[in-house]
Amino acid sequence: MKLATWDNGERDGRLVVISQDLRQMADAGDIAPTLQQALERSAETWPALAARYQALNENRCASAQPCDLRQLMAPLPRAWQWLDGSAFLSHSARMQQAFSLPPIAGIESIPLMYQGCGDDFLGPYAEIPYGTDEDGLDFEGEFAVIVDEVERGCTPRDALARVRLIVQLNDISMRTYAPRELQTGFGFIHAKPSSAFAPVAVTPDELGRAWIDGRVDLPLRVLRNGRLVGCLEGGEMHFNFGELIAHAAKTRRLRAGTVVGSGTVSGENAARGASCIAELRAIEMLAHGQPQTPFLQPGERVVMEARTPDDKPLFGALDQTVAAPVR
Protein backbone atom coordinates (compact mmCIF):
# COMPACT_ATOMS: atom_id res chain seq x y z
CA MET A 1 0.00 0.00 0.00
CA LYS A 2 1.14 3.53 -0.79
CA LEU A 3 -0.09 6.54 1.17
CA ALA A 4 0.56 10.27 0.94
CA THR A 5 -0.71 13.63 2.14
CA TRP A 6 -2.30 16.01 -0.32
CA ASP A 7 -1.73 19.71 0.32
CA ASN A 8 -5.21 21.08 0.94
CA GLY A 9 -3.95 24.25 2.61
CA GLU A 10 -4.21 22.86 6.13
CA ARG A 11 -1.32 22.09 8.45
CA ASP A 12 -1.71 18.29 8.32
CA GLY A 13 -3.07 18.04 4.79
CA ARG A 14 -5.49 15.31 3.70
CA LEU A 15 -4.80 11.60 3.46
CA VAL A 16 -4.75 10.07 -0.04
CA VAL A 17 -4.01 6.62 -1.43
CA ILE A 18 -1.49 6.51 -4.28
CA SER A 19 -1.44 3.89 -7.05
CA GLN A 20 1.53 1.56 -7.31
CA ASP A 21 2.90 3.42 -10.35
CA LEU A 22 2.37 6.81 -8.61
CA ARG A 23 0.19 8.05 -11.48
CA GLN A 24 -3.22 8.01 -9.76
CA MET A 25 -4.51 8.95 -6.34
CA ALA A 26 -7.77 8.61 -4.45
CA ASP A 27 -9.02 10.67 -1.54
CA ALA A 28 -9.07 8.74 1.73
CA GLY A 29 -10.38 11.46 4.02
CA ASP A 30 -13.58 9.51 4.64
CA ILE A 31 -11.49 6.70 6.16
CA ALA A 32 -9.19 9.02 8.12
CA PRO A 33 -8.72 12.76 7.48
CA THR A 34 -4.95 12.59 8.05
CA LEU A 35 -2.23 9.97 8.11
CA GLN A 36 -1.69 10.56 11.83
CA GLN A 37 -5.31 9.71 12.54
CA ALA A 38 -5.08 6.64 10.30
CA LEU A 39 -2.08 5.44 12.30
CA GLU A 40 -3.81 6.01 15.62
CA ARG A 41 -6.79 3.91 14.49
CA SER A 42 -4.83 1.45 12.34
CA ALA A 43 -6.85 -1.64 13.32
CA GLU A 44 -9.89 0.05 11.80
CA THR A 45 -8.37 2.13 9.00
CA TRP A 46 -5.70 -0.16 7.53
CA PRO A 47 -8.11 -2.74 6.00
CA ALA A 48 -10.23 0.04 4.47
CA LEU A 49 -7.16 1.80 3.06
CA ALA A 50 -5.85 -1.47 1.64
CA ALA A 51 -9.18 -2.10 -0.08
CA ARG A 52 -9.12 1.36 -1.67
CA TYR A 53 -5.52 0.83 -2.77
CA GLN A 54 -6.48 -2.41 -4.49
CA ALA A 55 -9.44 -0.76 -6.20
CA LEU A 56 -7.24 2.12 -7.35
CA ASN A 57 -4.70 -0.25 -8.92
CA GLU A 58 -7.46 -2.23 -10.60
CA ASN A 59 -8.98 0.93 -12.16
CA ARG A 60 -12.28 0.54 -10.33
CA CYS A 61 -12.01 3.41 -7.87
CA ALA A 62 -14.64 6.03 -8.64
CA SER A 63 -12.70 8.82 -6.90
CA ALA A 64 -9.44 8.19 -8.78
CA GLN A 65 -7.70 11.22 -10.27
CA PRO A 66 -4.28 11.99 -11.74
CA CYS A 67 -1.55 12.31 -9.13
CA ASP A 68 0.63 15.41 -9.23
CA LEU A 69 3.51 14.65 -6.87
CA ARG A 70 4.19 18.37 -6.53
CA GLN A 71 0.87 18.75 -4.74
CA LEU A 72 1.94 16.36 -1.99
CA MET A 73 3.39 17.29 1.38
CA ALA A 74 5.69 15.12 3.46
CA PRO A 75 3.70 11.88 4.00
CA LEU A 76 3.46 12.76 7.70
CA PRO A 77 3.74 16.58 7.73
CA ARG A 78 4.46 16.62 11.47
CA ALA A 79 5.14 13.86 13.94
CA TRP A 80 4.83 13.57 17.70
CA GLN A 81 8.38 12.26 17.74
CA TRP A 82 11.29 12.14 15.24
CA LEU A 83 14.26 10.00 16.27
CA ASP A 84 17.21 9.61 13.93
CA GLY A 85 19.80 6.90 14.32
CA SER A 86 23.24 6.34 12.83
CA ALA A 87 23.01 2.70 11.79
CA PHE A 88 25.70 2.67 9.09
CA LEU A 89 29.01 2.18 10.89
CA SER A 90 31.08 2.89 7.77
CA HIS A 91 29.87 6.50 7.97
CA SER A 92 30.95 6.87 11.60
CA ALA A 93 34.28 5.16 10.95
CA ARG A 94 35.16 7.47 8.04
CA MET A 95 34.21 10.59 9.94
CA GLN A 96 36.20 9.44 12.96
CA GLN A 97 39.31 8.63 10.91
CA ALA A 98 39.26 11.70 8.67
CA PHE A 99 38.63 14.24 11.42
CA SER A 100 40.63 12.49 14.20
CA LEU A 101 37.56 12.11 16.40
CA PRO A 102 37.77 10.02 19.57
CA PRO A 103 36.29 6.52 19.34
CA ILE A 104 32.75 6.04 20.63
CA ALA A 105 32.50 3.31 23.24
CA GLY A 106 30.04 0.53 22.38
CA ILE A 107 29.24 1.87 18.92
CA GLU A 108 28.88 -1.66 17.51
CA SER A 109 26.38 -2.76 20.16
CA ILE A 110 24.47 0.40 21.15
CA PRO A 111 22.89 2.51 18.39
CA LEU A 112 23.60 6.23 18.17
CA MET A 113 20.40 8.29 18.08
CA TYR A 114 19.27 11.87 18.52
CA GLN A 115 15.84 13.46 18.87
CA GLY A 116 15.14 15.96 16.09
CA CYS A 117 12.40 18.44 15.29
CA GLY A 118 9.37 16.54 14.05
CA ASP A 119 6.91 19.43 14.09
CA ASP A 120 7.69 20.84 10.64
CA PHE A 121 8.72 18.27 8.03
CA LEU A 122 9.32 19.64 4.54
CA GLY A 123 7.71 18.31 1.38
CA PRO A 124 9.52 16.62 -1.51
CA TYR A 125 9.85 19.78 -3.62
CA ALA A 126 10.27 22.32 -0.82
CA GLU A 127 13.30 24.58 -1.00
CA ILE A 128 16.20 23.81 1.30
CA PRO A 129 16.53 26.86 3.59
CA TYR A 130 19.87 28.65 3.38
CA GLY A 131 21.47 30.83 6.04
CA THR A 132 25.08 31.83 5.38
CA ASP A 133 28.18 30.33 3.81
CA GLU A 134 29.49 29.61 7.32
CA ASP A 135 26.68 27.15 8.14
CA GLY A 136 28.12 24.24 6.14
CA LEU A 137 24.77 23.31 4.57
CA ASP A 138 24.58 19.61 3.73
CA PHE A 139 22.13 16.92 2.63
CA GLU A 140 21.80 13.41 4.06
CA GLY A 141 20.02 10.64 2.19
CA GLU A 142 18.23 8.26 4.55
CA PHE A 143 15.42 5.78 5.03
CA ALA A 144 13.04 5.82 7.99
CA VAL A 145 10.06 3.93 9.37
CA ILE A 146 6.80 5.13 10.88
CA VAL A 147 5.57 2.92 13.70
CA ASP A 148 2.36 1.87 15.36
CA GLU A 149 2.14 1.94 19.18
CA VAL A 150 5.35 0.52 20.68
CA GLU A 151 5.42 -0.55 24.31
CA ARG A 152 8.26 0.41 26.62
CA GLY A 153 11.02 -2.19 26.77
CA CYS A 154 9.92 -4.10 23.68
CA THR A 155 12.30 -6.53 21.97
CA PRO A 156 13.77 -5.81 18.52
CA ARG A 157 11.63 -8.59 17.06
CA ASP A 158 8.42 -7.15 18.53
CA ALA A 159 9.49 -3.65 17.55
CA LEU A 160 9.96 -4.65 13.92
CA ALA A 161 6.38 -5.94 13.85
CA ARG A 162 5.20 -2.42 14.74
CA VAL A 163 6.54 -0.89 11.52
CA ARG A 164 3.59 0.44 9.55
CA LEU A 165 5.28 2.49 6.84
CA ILE A 166 8.68 3.11 5.27
CA VAL A 167 9.75 6.51 3.97
CA GLN A 168 12.76 8.14 2.31
CA LEU A 169 14.18 11.48 3.46
CA ASN A 170 16.79 14.21 3.27
CA ASP A 171 18.02 14.93 6.79
CA ILE A 172 19.21 18.47 6.12
CA SER A 173 22.24 19.39 8.22
CA MET A 174 24.31 22.45 9.05
CA ARG A 175 27.74 21.01 9.75
CA THR A 176 29.37 24.04 11.33
CA TYR A 177 27.13 23.84 14.41
CA ALA A 178 27.55 20.11 15.04
CA PRO A 179 30.94 19.99 16.83
CA ARG A 180 29.99 22.54 19.48
CA GLU A 181 26.54 21.02 20.04
CA LEU A 182 28.02 17.53 20.38
CA GLN A 183 30.47 18.78 22.98
CA THR A 184 27.66 20.10 25.17
CA GLY A 185 26.15 16.63 25.50
CA PHE A 186 22.64 18.04 25.01
CA GLY A 187 22.17 17.08 21.35
CA PHE A 188 21.46 18.95 18.14
CA ILE A 189 19.43 22.13 17.77
CA HIS A 190 20.99 24.40 15.13
CA ALA A 191 22.82 21.60 13.31
CA LYS A 192 19.59 19.81 12.43
CA PRO A 193 16.84 21.98 10.91
CA SER A 194 13.67 20.44 9.43
CA SER A 195 14.08 17.30 7.34
CA ALA A 196 12.41 16.80 3.95
CA PHE A 197 10.60 13.64 2.83
CA ALA A 198 9.90 11.93 -0.48
CA PRO A 199 6.18 12.16 -1.35
CA VAL A 200 5.00 8.59 -0.73
CA ALA A 201 5.06 6.31 2.31
CA VAL A 202 4.88 2.58 1.59
CA THR A 203 3.98 -0.49 3.61
CA PRO A 204 6.80 -3.05 3.98
CA ASP A 205 5.18 -5.51 1.54
CA GLU A 206 5.65 -2.97 -1.28
CA LEU A 207 9.41 -3.58 -1.04
CA GLY A 208 9.00 -7.31 -1.58
CA ARG A 209 12.35 -9.06 -1.25
CA ALA A 210 14.05 -5.69 -0.72
CA TRP A 211 12.67 -5.59 2.85
CA ILE A 212 15.17 -7.95 4.44
CA ASP A 213 15.54 -8.40 8.18
CA GLY A 214 14.26 -4.90 8.89
CA ARG A 215 16.45 -3.22 6.29
CA VAL A 216 15.68 -1.47 2.98
CA ASP A 217 17.96 -3.43 0.67
CA LEU A 218 17.86 -0.94 -2.19
CA PRO A 219 20.35 1.58 -3.59
CA LEU A 220 19.68 5.23 -2.79
CA ARG A 221 20.84 7.45 -5.66
CA VAL A 222 21.83 10.99 -4.70
CA LEU A 223 22.48 13.63 -7.37
CA ARG A 224 23.83 17.14 -6.97
CA ASN A 225 23.17 19.44 -9.91
CA GLY A 226 22.54 16.39 -12.09
CA ARG A 227 25.77 14.61 -11.17
CA LEU A 228 25.75 11.37 -9.18
CA VAL A 229 27.48 11.82 -5.82
CA GLY A 230 26.43 8.54 -4.22
CA CYS A 231 24.64 5.25 -4.81
CA LEU A 232 24.72 3.34 -1.53
CA GLU A 233 22.80 0.28 -0.39
CA GLY A 234 20.31 0.52 2.47
CA GLY A 235 20.98 -3.14 3.21
CA GLU A 236 24.40 -2.27 4.68
CA MET A 237 22.79 -1.06 7.93
CA HIS A 238 24.60 -2.49 10.96
CA PHE A 239 21.51 -2.13 13.19
CA ASN A 240 18.17 -2.97 11.61
CA PHE A 241 15.03 -0.92 12.21
CA GLY A 242 13.76 -3.32 14.86
CA GLU A 243 16.93 -2.72 16.87
CA LEU A 244 16.68 1.05 16.40
CA ILE A 245 13.03 1.11 17.52
CA ALA A 246 13.76 -1.09 20.54
CA HIS A 247 16.65 1.19 21.50
CA ALA A 248 14.35 4.23 21.36
CA ALA A 249 11.71 2.42 23.43
CA LYS A 250 14.07 1.21 26.15
CA THR A 251 12.75 3.68 28.73
CA ARG A 252 9.66 5.10 27.03
CA ARG A 253 6.70 4.00 24.94
CA LEU A 254 6.47 5.26 21.39
CA ARG A 255 3.13 6.59 20.22
CA ALA A 256 1.71 5.76 16.82
CA GLY A 257 3.24 8.04 14.22
CA THR A 258 6.74 8.13 15.73
CA VAL A 259 9.35 8.31 12.95
CA VAL A 260 12.67 6.46 13.36
CA GLY A 261 15.48 7.17 10.88
CA SER A 262 18.39 5.04 9.70
CA GLY A 263 20.99 7.78 9.55
CA THR A 264 23.02 8.56 6.44
CA VAL A 265 23.06 5.60 4.04
CA SER A 266 26.66 4.52 3.73
CA GLY A 267 28.81 1.57 2.66
CA GLU A 268 32.26 0.07 2.77
CA ASN A 269 33.01 0.77 -0.91
CA ALA A 270 34.14 4.42 -1.09
CA ALA A 271 34.08 4.23 -4.89
CA ARG A 272 30.28 4.36 -4.70
CA GLY A 273 30.44 7.85 -3.23
CA ALA A 274 28.42 9.06 -0.28
CA SER A 275 24.89 10.14 0.67
CA CYS A 276 26.08 13.36 2.29
CA ILE A 277 28.75 15.98 1.59
CA ALA A 278 30.42 15.53 4.99
CA GLU A 279 31.23 11.89 4.30
CA LEU A 280 32.33 12.71 0.76
CA ARG A 281 34.74 15.27 2.22
CA ALA A 282 35.99 12.63 4.67
CA ILE A 283 36.69 10.25 1.78
CA GLU A 284 38.61 13.04 0.03
CA MET A 285 40.61 13.82 3.15
CA LEU A 286 41.62 10.19 3.55
CA ALA A 287 42.61 9.97 -0.13
CA HIS A 288 44.14 13.40 -0.75
CA GLY A 289 44.81 14.96 2.64
CA GLN A 290 42.16 17.67 2.28
CA PRO A 291 38.48 18.01 1.34
CA GLN A 292 37.63 19.13 -2.17
CA THR A 293 33.84 19.22 -2.28
CA PRO A 294 32.16 22.42 -1.04
CA PHE A 295 28.97 22.51 0.96
CA LEU A 296 25.69 23.59 -0.64
CA GLN A 297 25.15 27.04 -2.08
CA PRO A 298 21.94 28.87 -3.14
CA GLY A 299 20.47 27.65 -6.42
CA GLU A 300 21.94 24.15 -6.24
CA ARG A 301 19.65 21.17 -6.85
CA VAL A 302 19.59 17.91 -4.87
CA VAL A 303 17.67 14.85 -6.09
CA MET A 304 17.35 11.58 -4.14
CA GLU A 305 15.46 8.46 -5.09
CA ALA A 306 15.34 4.75 -4.31
CA ARG A 307 13.52 2.60 -6.86
CA THR A 308 12.54 -1.06 -6.99
CA PRO A 309 14.99 -3.67 -8.33
CA ASP A 310 13.13 -3.59 -11.67
CA ASP A 311 13.47 0.23 -11.74
CA LYS A 312 9.89 1.10 -10.88
CA PRO A 313 8.98 4.10 -8.68
CA LEU A 314 8.58 3.46 -4.99
CA PHE A 315 8.64 6.52 -2.72
CA GLY A 316 8.88 9.05 -5.53
CA ALA A 317 11.83 11.41 -5.73
CA LEU A 318 12.99 14.16 -3.43
CA ASP A 319 13.81 17.06 -5.75
CA GLN A 320 14.93 20.19 -3.93
CA THR A 321 16.66 23.46 -4.70
CA VAL A 322 18.65 25.46 -2.18
CA ALA A 323 16.81 28.72 -1.43
CA ALA A 324 18.30 32.19 -1.77
CA PRO A 325 19.65 33.60 1.50
CA VAL A 326 17.19 35.50 3.66
CA ARG A 327 17.99 39.21 3.58
Side-chain angles (χ1 to χ4, degrees):
M1 182 164 61
K2 297 187 176 185
L3 303 174
T5 294
W6 177 60
D7 188 355
N8 64 350
E10 298 182 4
R11 182 63 184 81
D12 296 302
R14 187 169 177 87
L15 180 62
V16 292
V17 175
I18 306 295
S19 64
Q20 193 167 46
D21 61 8
L22 309 190
R23 294 181 179 178
Q24 297 285 312
M25 72 177 192
D27 181 80
D30 58 317
I31 300 172
T34 67
L35 180 54
Q36 179 63 43
Q37 292 181 55
L39 289 162
E40 291 174 353
R41 298 187 289 111
S42 59
E44 169 192 344
T45 62
W46 235 240
L49 290 169
R52 186 153 304 175
Y53 179 65
Q54 183 176 355
L56 183 62
N57 287 316
E58 294 174 355
N59 296 315
R60 53 181 181 81
C61 181
S63 61
Q65 57 183 298
C67 177
D68 181 357
L69 297 179
R70 290 186 173 273
Q71 296 300 313
L72 300 179
M73 306 167 73
L76 195 61
R78 55 179 171 176
W80 296 116
Q81 189 162 210
W82 159 228
L83 302 166
D84 198 14
S86 184
F88 293 85
L89 297 191
S90 54
H91 172 74
S92 301
R94 285 200 184 98
M95 300 298 285
Q96 178 185 332
Q97 185 179 358
F99 297 102
S100 300
L101 301 173
I104 301 172
I107 192 170
E108 294 186 355
S109 57
I110 303 174
L112 299 177
M113 186 172 288
Y114 78 90
Q115 186 157 0
C117 55
D119 62 324
D120 188 27
F121 290 147
L122 303 178
Y125 294 92
E127 287 188 319
I128 299 173
Y130 184 84
T132 70
D133 291 348
E134 288 73 36
D135 292 336
L137 183 61
D138 198 355
F139 52 78
E140 288 193 51
E142 301 187 18
F143 296 108
V145 295
I146 304 175
V147 301
D148 206 339
E149 296 279 330
V150 178
E151 65 276 11
R152 174 182 173 178
C154 70
T155 66
R157 180 178 178 179
D158 289 342
L160 195 57
R162 310 312 293 173
V163 171
R164 281 291 181 182
L165 295 165
I166 304 165
V167 290
Q168 179 199 314
L169 70 133
N170 175 12
D171 183 40
I172 300 165
S173 300
M174 293 186 175
R175 299 297 183 183
T176 303
Y177 297 104
R180 190 263 172 189
E181 292 187 330
L182 285 171
Q183 289 173 5
T184 68
F186 273 73
F188 296 125
I189 294 294
H190 298 144
K192 294 291 185 178
S194 297
S195 298
F197 286 73
V200 178
V202 308
T203 48
D205 61 289
E206 289 291 331
L207 273 67
R209 294 181 179 179
W211 180 243
I212 302 176
D213 190 28
R215 296 172 174 86
V216 181
D217 193 21
L218 293 172
L220 176 60
R221 289 173 54 86
V222 180
L223 294 90
R224 180 180 185 179
N225 302 321
R227 297 182 62 181
L228 183 69
V229 297
C231 185
L232 287 304
E233 298 284 343
E236 291 199 42
M237 283 175 74
H238 178 75
F239 300 103
N240 68 22
F241 277 111
E243 292 168 313
L244 292 179
I245 297 164
H247 174 73
K250 182 176 181 178
T251 60
R252 67 176 85 175
R253 62 183 175 186
L254 307 181
R255 291 298 196 181
T258 295
V259 186
V260 180
S262 67
T264 307
V265 177
S266 181
E268 295 294 336
N269 186 358
R272 298 191 69 172
S275 300
C276 67
I277 298 172
E279 186 173 343
L280 194 61
R281 287 165 66 91
I283 292 171
E284 293 166 347
M285 287 182 68
L286 294 172
H288 310 293
Q290 61 182 4
Q292 301 172 349
T293 301
F295 289 111
L296 290 171
Q297 295 291 314
E300 291 199 78
R301 183 184 179 194
V302 178
V303 178
M304 302 178 178
E305 186 175 13
R307 298 172 69 89
T308 65
D310 54 353
D311 199 35
K312 293 181 180 178
L314 189 58
F315 308 99
L318 266 160
D319 190 343
Q320 298 182 274
T321 300
V322 180
V326 178
R327 300 293 184 184

